[in-house]
Amino acid sequence: MRKFSEYFTVFFFYRLAGIILLLSGLVFYLFWGIEYSGWTDSGLISFVVPLILLGLLTIWLGNEKEKESRKLVKK
């Protein structure tokens, strides 16, 4: 049986924060587009694109940090 600390690592929280940012950007864009028919509104896009990019970059950062950590442990 795995320990609690094996599941909830720093890398898990990087990925969780990334997923939250990514989903919040996508859900906000869909909600705004459906509610106000503003699919190409520049204000909406300038708000949503950084959320989605930060989400993707945070997920990538978590994966890279975990790979780096595993390399250090093997040595």
Side-chain angles (χ1 to χ4, degrees):
M1 184 156 181
R2 293 185 136 184
K3 295 179 183 177
F4 179 78
S5 62
E6 291 180 20
Y7 288 111
F8 296 103
T9 61
V10 174
F11 317 116
F12 170 77
F13 288 108
Y14 274 121
R15 288 189 201 114
L16 182 64
I19 290 170
I20 289 171
L21 285 168
L22 181 67
L23 289 178
S24 64
L26 291 173
V27 168
F28 187 80
Y29 182 75
L30 289 174
F31 167 76
W32 194 271
I34 291 170
E35 187 69 26
Y36 299 108
S37 297
W39 296 103
T40 58
D41 181 19
S42 61
L44 172 66
I45 292 172
S46 68
F47 177 72
V48 170
V49 168
L51 279 178
I52 293 172
L53 288 177
L54 281 173
L56 291 172
L57 288 173
T58 307
I59 293 169
W60 174 77
L61 177 66
N63 289 337
E64 291 299 313
K65 291 267 187 185
E66 186 174 21
K67 287 178 190 175
E68 182 180 317
S69 174
R70 286 184 181 168
K71 286 180 184 176
L72 291 174
V73 170
K74 285 183 181 180
K75 288 183 180 180

